[in-house]
Structures are given as structure tokens and as C-alpha cells.
Amino acid sequence: MLVASAGSLRILGAEDNAVNRRVIRAMVEKLGHHVELVNDGQAALDLLAEREAGFDLLLMDIQMPILDGLGATRQYRARGGRLPVIAMTAHAMARHREQCLAAGMSAYMTKPLSFSVLAETLEAHAPHRR
């Protein structure tokens, strides 16, 4: 099911790998959503500080330079950020999922991203669905 049927989401994604950014962009846009991508967690926090209202949802890689996804999510939540944060990681162990949720993330997806899992996760966490 395409999430876009209920309206397009504005997504901020933080991912340091250029190939992964291209894949994320292609998948998100195929679902009919808009995505803005940055290279690390600090850049995501900086952009959210400027215009958080411009986004509906965050996709956050876990391992990034400067500020990783766990640290960025903790800081975002500590300053009152309420947008859903969805983890993207190559780490598939249960303890990694628990770490993401403990940091304040709303959901967890493993890489390589599956188009159907991405669609279902966006559907489940889209602000207009809650």
C-alpha cells in the first residue's frame, strides 16, 4: 500500500552514505513523499532547529560521523522534539533495536531497506495516521 494515498509526507533523512541516500530518495519519492537528506545527526538537528514544522517524520541512520543517530535522537527528544524518528541500521540484533527505542526512536528498520517495510513503517508512523 502506498502511504501517499492519504497525503504526501515531508521527511528529513540523516544518512552518511551517498549510495544509501540515493536509494532512500528513490524509495521515498516512489511512495509519493518529499525527502530532504543530510549527512549526519548534527546536520539533522541543525535543520530541525531552523524549521522543524517543515517535516512530518525523521529517518535516522544509526552510525554516522559527527553525531550518530542515537545521540541525535536523544538530543532531539531532550529539547522536546515530538516527530516520529525511524531508525535505519545494518545492525539487526535485538539489543540494537532496544537501544534505538531506548534512545527515543519510534521504530526500527534494518538495511538494506525493503520497499514494503519502508512503506508499512511510514504508514504506521505518519502523523496524520495517529
Side-chain angles (χ1 to χ4, degrees):
M1 175 190 310
L2 296 182
V3 180
S5 62
S8 184
L9 294 173
R10 299 158 303 162
I11 298 169
L12 172 59
E15 167 64 62
D16 63 316
N17 182 284
V19 172
N20 288 345
R21 283 194 305 272
R22 286 193 295 273
V23 170
I24 292 164
R25 179 175 304 284
M27 292 171 80
V28 168
E29 289 179 350
K30 186 172 183 173
L31 287 167
H33 304 300
H34 305 285
V35 64
E36 189 162 342
L37 296 165
V38 295
N39 295 330
D40 60 72
Q42 187 59 57
L45 288 177
D46 293 346
L47 193 53
L48 287 166
E50 291 175 18
R51 53 185 175 98
E52 181 173 349
F55 299 104
D56 298 308
L57 188 139
L58 309 174
L59 295 176
M60 187 75 69
D61 184 24
I62 298 305
Q63 290 188 321
M64 295 180 286
I66 303 173
L67 181 60
D68 68 22
L70 295 174
T73 300
R74 285 185 193 105
Q75 287 185 35
Y76 176 66
R77 294 295 187 221
R79 69 183 198 200
R82 299 177 53 92
L83 294 176
V85 180
I86 300 170
M88 303 180 295
T89 182
H91 300 289
M93 305 280 291
R95 68 182 171 88
H96 294 120
R97 181 182 182 280
E98 292 166 9
Q99 288 174 336
C100 292
L101 298 177
M105 293 178 162
S106 310
Y108 173 91
M109 296 185 298
T110 57
K111 295 178 189 174
L113 294 180
S114 155
F115 185 78
S116 62
V117 170
L118 176 64
E120 290 169 10
T121 303
L122 293 178
E123 175 80 16
H125 295 280
H128 57 273
R129 296 288 190 209
R130 291 183 275 140

